[in-house]
């Protein structure tokens, strides 16, 4: 079985490599050199090499150098670690474009995946040490300039670049696309396991690599809801979170660009925005419609792509000194899911200039353990449909069974409401059991009662006294969505969603209440018109 899987990996790498190396034959056009760059010929030099990583582990890599480089000059160098489960040729089209514009580029397969040695450590200390070893190798074996080192990557590669920037002062610029800053908030937000996302990652790890014993143990405890191991799981995640090393990242001073999608079902946007606000060096934040890595996907085939264009401009300025104005532009750039137009802001706080509160009045009791029909959809599929067809998950709000779903509605709006940023729910909950899970959904509801999902988020509690009220404050996942005039907003709360593992004991009931002393509400962030 092991030999068969290895043969499959080798065949796949060879096939895709041939396609990407064909360049223009498959529609990958060479990049036009930026103003001030030395003109390069159409074909960069590509080599497949072995690099010795931490502890002697062999990392499979590609080295792409500018055409005609003869050792008489140095070039900025960019290191690209691969995404989770993808082989080392993932970035070859981008690497050729970067080399054509005057970079040395080293892309490498992260340890434990495909042909690289070692086991999957999930951005653990050996992975961070590998990044520095690859930089060492590049400086020793290519015409790379030691004073102009950058890193970039998508998904797993993005997280590794941020972690490396905390541990290696040589890194001057980073472009981290569809990555994570807080791994715990990404897959365990609201103290709730994001089961579809984690199952996909785990499955891809077993299919394309060799999970470490630690990874196997952590995922087993995660899926089994082993509360006795909860703190160990949190500590494991924090050790792998760039946010944990924020002080080091700020002290090292790398220029950091973050890009993500509103509907990222693996690394939701909130944790990136929170991290961005705490960075003190040169920084940029971009959000677009889509799901995990879909905003960058076309660029991996060498096609025009906004995310990669921004990344190139960022790297050009901070590694080459290109006077392209990226440092003078508003650093927060977002695209609405509804209109597709870009908006620019001086900081993340300015995205939501005002807020509108929806009262969550009255008392509503629901029975747990039944899916009401409101849900967050399916990872990848739902957000991709929203990205390309403007079709998010939908539900008929009038038909949702009130025995299993609490529903509150706003008034009908006379003008368009441009939701920007993070909606927040505050309410009081009384449970008949000590544990439970609730999931909040915000819907855009049309005249016929059909609701389109704007955002959602889960919340789990343990150790509560049955029958005793307690406050719940929940941030929904950040988004940019325009509610048409004549529509209203609806907040729906139920207890079951296929995206998450729920913790509702049999027979559990939840009551949501509001009082004059502690009113319940949903705060909706709005763009200033």
């Amino acid at each position: 079985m092991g030999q068969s899987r290895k043969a499959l990996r080798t065949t796949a790498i060879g096939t895709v490599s041939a396609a990407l190396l064909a360049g223009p034959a498959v529609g990958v056009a060479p990049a036009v050199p930026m103003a001030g760059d030395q003109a390069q010929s159409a074909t960069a030099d590509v080599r497949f090499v072995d690099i010795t990583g931490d502890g002697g582990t062999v990392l499979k890599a590609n080295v792409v150098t500018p055409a005609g480089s003869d050792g008489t000059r140095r070039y900025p160098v960019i290191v690209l670690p691969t995404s989770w489960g993808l082989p080392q040729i993932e970035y070859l089209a981008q690497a050729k474009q970067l080399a054509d514009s005057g970079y040395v580029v080293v892309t490498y397969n992260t340890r434990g995946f495909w042909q690289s040695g070692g086991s999957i450590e999930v951005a653990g200390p050996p992975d961070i040490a590998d990044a520095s070893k690859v930089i060492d190798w590049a400086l020793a074996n290519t015409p790379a300039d030691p004073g102009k080192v950058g890193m970039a990557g998508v998904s797993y590669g993005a997280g590794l670049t941020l972690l490396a920037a905390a541990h290696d002062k040589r890194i001057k610029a980073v472009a981290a696309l569809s990555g994570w800053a807080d791994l715990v908030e990404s897959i365990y937000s609201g103290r709730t396991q994001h089961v579809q996302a984690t199952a996909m990652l785990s499955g891809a790890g077993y299919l394309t690599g060799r999970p470490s014993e630690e990874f196997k143990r952590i995922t087993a405890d995660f899926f089994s809801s082993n509360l006795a191991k909860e703190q160990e799981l949190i500590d494991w995640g924090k050790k792998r979170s760039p946010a944990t090393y924020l002080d080091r990242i700020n002290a090292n001073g790398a220029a950091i660009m973050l890009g993500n999608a509103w509907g990222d079902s693996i690394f939701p946007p909130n944790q990136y925005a929170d991290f961005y606000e705490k960075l003190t060096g040169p920084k940029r934040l971009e959000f677009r419609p889509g799901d995990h890595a879909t905003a960058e996907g076309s660029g991996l085939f060498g096609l025009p792509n906004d995310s990669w264009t921004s990344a190139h401009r960022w790297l050009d300025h901070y590694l080459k000194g290109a006077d392209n104005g990226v440092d003078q532009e508003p650093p927060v750039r977002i695209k609405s899911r509804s209109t597709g137009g870009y908006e620019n802001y001086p900081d993340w706080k300015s995205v939501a200039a005002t807020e509108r509160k929806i009262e969550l009045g009255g008392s509503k009791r629901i029975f747990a353990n039944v899916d009401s029909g409101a849900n967050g959809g399916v990872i990848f599929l739902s957000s991709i449909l929203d990205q390309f067809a403007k079709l998010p998950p939908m539900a008929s709000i009038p038909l949702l069974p009130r025995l299993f779903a609490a529903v509150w509605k706003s008034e009908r709006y006379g003008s368009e409401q441009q939701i920007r940023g993070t909606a927040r729910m505050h309410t009081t909950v009384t449970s008949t059991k000590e544990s439970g899970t609730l999931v909040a959904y915000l819907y855009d509801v049309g005249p016929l009662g059909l609701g389109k999902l704007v955002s959602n988020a889960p919340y789990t509690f343990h150790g509560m006294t049955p029958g005793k009220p307690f406050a719940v404050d929940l941030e929904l996942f950040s988004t940019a969505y325009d509610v048409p005039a004549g529509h209203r907003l609806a907040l729906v709360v139920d207890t079951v969603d296929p995206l998450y593992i729920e913790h509702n004991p049999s027979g559990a009931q939840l009551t949501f209440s509001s009082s004059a002393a502690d009113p319940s509400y949903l705060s909706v962030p709005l763009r200033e018109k």
Side-chain angles (χ1 to χ4, degrees), residues 41 54 107 145 190 194 236 283 314 351 358 374 386 416 423 491 513:
S41 66
D54 184 56
T107 81
D145 186 335
H194 295 211
W236 177 88
K283 59 184 180 178
W314 187 256
V351 171
I358 299 173
D386 183 42
E416 181 181 70
L491 179 71
S513 58

Side-chain angles (χ1 to χ4, degrees), residues 55 77 125 160 169 230 243 285 311 313 318 329 346 368 372 406-407 417 434 443 481 525:
V77 58
L160 288 173
K169 295 181 179 180
E230 182 183 37
L285 177 67
R313 293 182 67 232
Y318 287 102
E329 298 169 357
S372 70
V407 180
Q417 305 294 300
E434 66 173 17
Y443 283 99
Y481 182 96

Side-chain angles (χ1 to χ4, degrees), residues 183-198 222 225 227 230 233-234 436-440 456-462 474 477 495-504:
L183 191 57
V184 178
E185 281 300 305
S186 295
I187 62 173
Y188 194 56
S189 71
R191 211 177 174 186
T192 309
Q193 298 102 315
H194 295 211
V195 64
Q196 286 189 18
T198 310
F222 181 92
S225 302
L227 280 178
E230 182 183 37
L233 184 149
I234 290 172
T437 296
L438 59 92
V439 185
N456 79 98
Y459 182 92
T460 292
F461 58 88
H462 296 288
L474 176 62
F477 300 136
T495 61
V496 176
D497 190 306
L499 289 174
Y500 312 112
I501 291 179
E502 52 90 7
H503 297 261
N504 297 297

Side-chain angles (χ1 to χ4, degrees), residues 20 23-24 26-34 37-38 40-46 64-67 78 80 91-105 107 296-313 315-316 320:
L20 290 174
V26 292
V28 180
V32 177
M34 300 292 291
D37 290 341
Q38 176 177 310
Q40 306 293 335
S41 66
T43 304
D45 177 53
V46 181
V64 189
T65 52
I78 297 176
L80 296 156
Y91 300 112
L92 205 50
Q94 279 299 316
K96 290 178 68 179
Q97 290 186 7
L98 288 164
D100 286 340
S101 65
Y103 290 95
V104 169
V105 186
T107 81
E296 303 85 26
S298 64
L300 296 177
F301 296 96
L303 301 174
N305 180 276
D306 283 356
S307 295
W308 282 105
T309 296
S310 289
H312 284 224
R313 293 182 67 232
L315 296 168
D316 284 349
K320 291 183 179 180

Side-chain angles (χ1 to χ4, degrees), residues 112-369:
F113 287 103
W114 293 85
Q115 299 303 305
S116 283
S119 56
I120 300 172
E121 303 291 344
V122 196
D127 292 295
I128 299 170
D130 284 344
S132 291
K133 290 287 188 181
V134 173
I135 293 172
D136 292 342
W137 186 94
L139 297 179
N141 295 277
T142 74
D145 186 335
K148 299 178 179 179
V149 177
M151 288 190 70
V154 175
S155 185
Y156 192 46
L160 288 173
T161 66
L162 292 173
L163 288 164
H167 292 82
D168 196 320
K169 295 181 179 180
R170 295 173 297 181
I171 299 169
K172 305 302 181 186
V174 163
L177 309 177
S178 287
W180 77 91
D182 189 326
L183 191 57
V184 178
E185 281 300 305
S186 295
I187 62 173
Y188 194 56
S189 71
R191 211 177 174 186
T192 309
Q193 298 102 315
H194 295 211
V195 64
Q196 286 189 18
T198 310
M200 188 281 296
L201 291 172
S202 180
Y206 277 91
L207 181 64
T208 63
R210 298 165 301 281
S212 66
E213 291 304 313
E214 182 184 37
F215 177 50
K216 294 176 183 177
R217 175 172 48 80
I218 288 291
T219 52
D221 290 338
F222 181 92
F223 290 123
S224 67
S225 302
N226 187 348
L227 280 178
K229 297 291 186 177
E230 182 183 37
Q231 190 57 51
E232 181 181 344
L233 184 149
I234 290 172
D235 292 342
W236 177 88
K238 286 189 176 300
K239 189 175 183 179
R240 290 157 170 80
S241 296
T244 301
Y245 310 101
L246 180 69
D247 290 346
R248 292 189 194 179
I249 292 173
N250 286 334
N252 290 347
I256 294 179
M257 173 187 161
L258 305 172
N260 205 353
W262 295 120
D264 195 317
S265 49
I266 297 178
F267 304 130
N270 301 48
Q271 45 91 34
Y272 242 23
D274 292 344
F275 178 69
Y276 169 84
E277 285 288 88
K278 297 172 185 175
L279 293 170
T280 58
K283 59 184 180 178
R284 187 176 181 91
L285 177 67
E286 299 187 351
F287 285 131
R288 298 175 174 83
D291 205 307
H292 184 65
T294 63
E296 303 85 26
S298 64
L300 296 177
F301 296 96
L303 301 174
N305 180 276
D306 283 356
S307 295
W308 282 105
T309 296
S310 289
H312 284 224
R313 293 182 67 232
W314 187 256
L315 296 168
D316 284 349
H317 179 77
Y318 287 102
L319 294 180
K320 291 183 179 180
D323 186 15
N324 56 19
V326 73
D327 59 322
Q328 302 298 317
E329 298 169 357
V332 176
R333 186 173 186 241
I334 69 172
K335 180 182 282 190
S336 168
R337 290 164 51 196
S338 305
T339 64
Y342 279 107
E343 301 164 9
N344 300 304
Y345 299 90
D347 51 41
W348 175 247
K349 295 188 296 292
S350 300
V351 171
T354 61
E355 68 172 14
R356 181 187 294 270
K357 285 190 176 180
I358 299 173
E359 292 184 7
L360 309 180
S363 178
K364 299 181 186 292
R365 173 177 289 190
I366 62 174
F367 292 88
N369 299 306

